[in-house]
Amino acid sequence: MKSVPMLSGAFLQPAGQSLPDPLLAVRNERAAALADMPMPTRKTENWKYSSKYLKLTEDMAATLPATEKASSLDVPGYRIVLNNGAINRADSQYPDQGGITVQHFSDLDADDASSLAQKLGSTLDAEQTQFAQINSARFEDGLLIRLAANTVLDKPLFILHETAATQNGSAFPRIFVEAGTNSEMTLVEAYVSEGDSAALVDTVTEFQLADGANITSIRLTMEGETVQHIGATGVLQQRNSRFESHCVGFGGPLRRHDLQVRLEGEGAETKLNGVVVTQGKQHYDNHTSIDHVAAHCNSEETYRNIAADQSHAVFNGRIHIHQDAQKSNADMNNKNLLLSNGAEIDTKPELEIYADDVKCAHGATIGQLDETSVFYLVSRGIGRRQANVLLTMAFINELVEQIPVEAVRDTAQARLNDFFDQTFQEA
Amino acid sequence: MLSIKNLHASVEGKEILKGINLEIKAGEVHAIMGPNGSGKSTLSQVLAGNDAFEVTSGEVTLNGDNLLDLETEERAREGIFLAFQYPVEIPGVSNLQFLRTAVNAMRKHRGEEEMNAAEFMKLAKEVSKQVDLDPAFLKRGVNEGFSGGEKKRNEIMQALLLQPKLAILDETDSGLDIDALQVVSNGVNALRAEDRAILMVTHYQRLLNHIVPDYVHVLAGGRIVKSGGRELALELEEKGYGWLGIKDEDTSN
């Protein structure tokens, strides 16, 4: 019998030791627990469609160095630049408003560090997020963002994840956000890269929302063709809190995002929007999971995938309504557009409902551009290429327009235009 | 302007047009009438370039140029306009974006400067008044949630914006109440010009009370079986298609 490939021990060896003891303890504990972790294969349920894209070689295990290179992105608002997961103080502009603290894990005092150590990873289902566990064994530093009660951040906070794939290696960015009672913030994470060596970005962002907190999370994934990206976002929501997520993802050799939301307090609301486009031989896999734990919570999820050429997109959306979560209202919708016969999209809604008085709707479709619509547009003199672009954009327009930060909409649109240029050739 | 000679066309291997001959000159308004299934809509679609229909023989020229060699978008840029019997709904593309893209594609083809958003908005608002459409519709998706009458008025609005050489109106009167029919007819009459031809395809005579044609042709079994002046339409209304030896399941109107 063929043996199951194991994760190389090299992927569990952090480079630096410059963290407070409680956090070093977290890392060591995780590394020990993962010592015999099998690599996902197509028989691993949550990696079924994506394991073949995962190509980790031992020469990618080392942490990529902190380059301290200034970010190429120009953003309006507060910004923190991470080079290969390491915080670039000089190129960052920390929020100067009262009520918000942004601390580096490496700077935390013993009390804060041990309090964080208790919470780190608590927002995620460990079994479903194997690579978040690897991040927990490997993070070299991280950002702890805390909003005091009633603090409303006046501008979006951008976190710019810059990966310099100028040599083979990995980056393990880690972010933990604690939003106090009735606090509000928009956090934008943008992932970009330069260089063409083989790199792994294994990133984890966690949110804890106290009663009435209101957090908008925006995520743009647009690294290059040699970067494998595996991200996990965990969200815990208390009473009457609101979480809104906008993810825009561009395909790559391997792209994976797990988004897990637990609605733990009554009246909590979550809204998850996602757009993915893939072309060439690219891949993108979104796994989302919403746990309705408490009663009277709402969730609304809308994901759109567009796959061109021989690319492959995956959507797996799980909704779990727990026994006590009466009067839950859940709506999940996934629509998919195939732009070529060679492209593949797999979509899998998963509903588990244990309460009897709930409203739960879900729908998934896969289709192609409508020939009648194309004919209508070209019969008005519009070129076939432009007609294809208009109709493809129409498929995701609504979601792009809902992104509440103009600079992000513009960046996403510019990248989408590149995608259209490469996908639809001039006739 | 438009010359159709011995045009044969089929869809999915079934021959629908079996030798159409038709000459249309600039400034003329022609009506093609005929029972359901006679090939009226097929003729419209073939002229506009829908490749679901295969032209098996014959020729069509527009001002001497072979129309059948051109792609749909090229035909449109050369001045062919088809008002659809069933205009398509396209959520996610606003009417404004659609109309401006189309107008600018035409302008670019003619070597004119493209219109910016503000210039176009002004023009679009003026034209929307002409067909009695609330300018608020410009912000909505193309035909999205429009009533049948609104869709038809939007078609005529497009014709007014694009100023074609030959406007083909496919059952533009179907599904319209009397008021909407009046609005649409006024729009079409505003299109009438010395350098423009109009080809109306219709099952019923009533549209021709509002838009008076110069010529009327009866299409049956994929051929034009009778041509005449305006009076032919009235005769058809009175006698139905039966007196021409044509069967029609639906002559009650």
Side-chain angles (χ1 to χ4, degrees), chain A residues 45-281:
Chain A
E45 187 57 33
N46 65 335
W47 276 86
K48 188 173 169 185
Y49 299 109
S50 296
S51 60
K52 67 179 171 188
Y53 297 95
L54 182 63
K55 285 170 186 149
L56 299 184
T57 49
E58 220 167 294
D59 57 355
M60 293 166 62
T63 305
L64 286 164
T67 61
E68 295 190 2
K69 198 177 161 191
S71 172
S72 55
L73 298 169
D74 183 22
V75 297
Y78 306 118
R79 65 188 250 163
I80 294 169
V81 176
L82 272 65
N83 298 115
N84 297 330
I87 300 150
N88 181 339
R89 286 173 204 262
D91 194 34
S92 296
Q93 192 197 337
Y94 294 80
D96 48 12
Q97 193 189 330
I100 176 167
T101 57
V102 178
Q103 290 169 288
H104 301 181
F105 287 4
S106 51
D107 292 339
L108 294 176
D109 65 27
D111 284 352
D112 281 347
S114 73
S115 152
L116 176 63
Q118 300 294 316
K119 297 171 195 157
L120 215 55
S122 62
T123 66
L124 290 163
D125 175 346
E127 274 185 30
Q128 297 297 317
T129 53
Q130 299 96 323
F131 282 82
Q133 305 309 306
I134 298 175
N135 178 295
S136 293
R138 284 294 299 274
F139 64 90
E140 303 282 352
D141 202 346
L143 286 171
L144 173 60
I145 300 168
R146 288 188 285 187
L147 284 167
N150 303 312
T151 302
V152 177
L153 197 64
D154 59 351
K155 287 181 282 195
L157 170 57
F158 285 78
I159 298 179
L160 308 177
H161 294 271
E162 298 268 349
T163 298
T166 45
Q167 64 192 74
N168 290 2
S170 295
F172 299 93
R174 186 89 189 202
I175 292 153
F176 198 93
V177 179
E178 275 183 60
T181 309
N182 297 327
S183 63
E184 285 185 38
M185 174 174 71
T186 297
L187 185 80
V188 182
E189 289 186 84
Y191 290 87
V192 294
S193 72
E194 57 167 9
D196 52 11
S197 296
L200 167 70
V201 174
D202 178 357
T203 178
V204 178
T205 305
E206 297 183 78
F207 295 91
Q208 285 198 345
L209 280 66
D211 294 358
N214 188 345
I215 296 292
T216 299
S217 159
I218 304 174
R219 183 186 178 93
L220 271 171
T221 311
M222 36 190 198
E223 292 116 323
E225 291 299 324
T226 59
V227 176
Q228 298 176 58
H229 174 113
I230 306 176
T233 301
V235 185
L236 288 187
Q237 291 189 241
Q238 301 309 321
R239 186 182 286 265
N240 296 330
S241 63
R242 186 166 193 282
F243 181 76
E244 184 174 313
S245 160
H246 301 265
C247 293
V248 180
F250 296 85
L254 169 81
R255 295 281 184 269
R256 168 73 180 230
H257 184 219
D258 283 82
L259 173 53
Q260 302 189 333
V261 180
R262 281 177 73 84
L263 302 166
E264 295 195 328
E266 290 192 3
E269 253 184 55
T270 203
K271 177 184 167 92
L272 311 181
N273 283 355
V275 170
V276 159
V277 297
T278 56
Q279 63 190 156
K281 292 181 184 308

Side-chain angles (χ1 to χ4, degrees), chain B residues 96 100 115-125:
Chain B
L96 194 63
R100 189 172 148 225
M115 288 181 104
N116 67 31
E119 287 169 338
F120 183 75
M121 190 57 156
K122 193 162 166 271
L123 174 68
K125 277 186 175 165

